[in-house]
Amino acid sequence: MSLTLNLDFQYTTTIEKLWNALTDSGKLAKWIANIHTGVPMENDFQPVVGYKFQFRTQPNEWWDGIINGEVLLVEEPNRLSYTWGSGDEVHTITWTLQELEAGKVNLHLEQTGISNAPALNGAKYGWSKWCGDLEQALAQ
């Protein structure tokens, strides 16, 4: 059975600034961090279809600290999709950006291919934290 996570976040920003926060390696490191330590994850992300990237953090006894991915879709500034994998788990992340009224942008996250409920809950916790940190990064 494959589970899907869907989350929506609204930010007071421009669609271009939010797109940049999702696609610029340096900006990604400001809001995607190790959930347990808060240390930013180094990454070599590039918004180029077919590009293979990694997010890296300190390993622990349960995990090697590496997330592997490959960019699947780039439709600037509205949609971005990539694989997101660690160990035997490989998911697909799709971000959809939509301008709203009053200078707000909706960011929709869909994560597919999740294998079980604990993994779904972990993904929900992680992305909710990171997207809260994203709001702070956008304000800088």
Side-chain angles (χ1 to χ4, degrees):
M1 169 183 6
S2 178
L3 302 173
T4 299
L5 174 65
N6 284 287
L7 295 171
D8 283 279
F9 305 92
Q10 283 81 43
Y11 300 101
T12 302
T13 189
T14 64
I15 197 168
E16 293 81 11
K17 191 170 182 182
L18 184 53
W19 175 264
N20 205 26
L22 294 174
T23 59
D24 178 273
S25 176
K27 290 187 175 35
L28 282 164
K30 292 183 178 185
W31 61 276
I32 295 185
N34 182 308
I35 292 292
H36 303 290
T37 65
V39 175
M41 286 193 193
E42 294 179 20
N43 72 87
D44 60 350
F45 185 87
Q46 292 183 29
V48 176
V49 172
Y51 184 78
K52 293 183 178 169
F53 62 89
Q54 285 188 333
F55 278 78
R56 295 171 299 283
T57 190
Q58 185 174 354
N60 61 37
E61 61 189 278
W62 303 282
W63 179 48
D64 66 5
I66 298 172
I67 296 168
N68 291 297
E70 181 176 348
V71 178
L72 304 173
L73 174 76
V74 178
E75 293 177 356
E76 184 177 351
N78 300 107
R79 284 189 57 199
L80 175 68
S81 184
Y82 46 82
T83 60
W84 181 265
S86 180
D88 294 336
E89 287 274 320
V90 179
H91 305 158
T92 298
I93 303 289
T94 302
W95 298 103
T96 304
L97 293 77
Q98 180 183 9
E99 288 182 291
L100 303 172
E101 298 175 352
K104 291 190 179 275
V105 180
N106 187 75
L107 179 63
H108 177 77
L109 164 70
E110 179 182 79
Q111 182 171 352
T112 61
I114 301 170
S115 63
N116 57 58
L120 178 72
N121 291 334
K124 182 177 181 181
Y125 172 81
W127 286 115
S128 295
K129 169 143 183 24
W130 286 338
C131 288
D133 294 342
L134 171 57
E135 185 167 27
Q136 294 175 351
L138 288 168
Q140 296 176 357

